[in-house]
Amino acid sequence: QVQLVESGGGLVQSGGSLRLSCAASGTRYRFNAMGWYRQGPGKRRELVADITSDSSTNYADSVKGRFTISRDNAKNTVYLQMNSLKPEDTGVYYCNAAQVGSRGIRNDYWGQGAQVTVSS
């Protein structure tokens, strides 16, 4: 069974940095894409950034230039380096991993969430 374990959340002042990690276990197959979503207070879950198995990246406009996503395929781990954090970055950050089968069916897996709080 696939499990995603996140680490690295916490409390930081505005302008500070945090690094999130997410390690996947329970599969020997590479994920087609891995990424990070977040859900702020009273908001819907939104994509922050994702990265494909060949390292193509995609970022939400609100984090471009401040966040960097990377992955280690050998370790099935994805990282999110967050710099110049703002109070509006506050939320629960969820790791996502997706596998697309031969019939094009996508299976999504989710981590338990890591709280990120940015104080002003």
Side-chain angles (χ1 to χ4, degrees):
Q1 185 174 357
V2 175
Q3 287 188 319
L4 304 180
V5 178
E6 298 143 344
S7 60
L11 172 65
V12 65
Q13 289 187 334
S14 181
S17 298
L18 283 174
R19 187 183 192 225
L20 300 179
S21 300
C22 172
S25 62
T27 179
R28 56 190 176 95
Y29 298 106
R30 182 177 298 181
F31 294 103
N32 297 90
M34 300 184 78
W36 294 92
Y37 289 69
R38 70 184 178 191
Q39 187 165 15
K43 298 181 180 180
R44 303 173 71 173
R45 189 177 297 190
E46 62 176 357
L47 173 69
V48 176
D50 60 18
I51 181 168
T52 64
S53 56
D54 61 357
S55 298
S56 295
T57 58
N58 176 48
Y59 294 92
D61 288 342
S62 59
V63 307
K64 285 180 181 176
R66 301 188 297 122
F67 291 10
T68 302
I69 190 169
S70 60
R71 66 187 283 177
D72 184 334
N73 289 326
K75 296 181 179 179
N76 253 348
T77 299
V78 63
Y79 307 94
L80 186 68
Q81 178 66 43
M82 303 183 290
N83 298 328
S84 302
L85 281 161
K86 304 175 181 180
E88 50 263 44
D89 294 317
T90 294
V92 179
Y93 283 67
Y94 296 92
C95 176
N96 168 269
Q99 288 178 329
V100 179
S102 57
R103 297 184 179 183
I105 297 175
R106 172 174 171 144
N107 289 315
D108 284 278
Y109 303 93
W110 295 92
Q112 78 282 2
Q115 177 68 45
V116 171
T117 303
V118 184
S119 63
S120 57

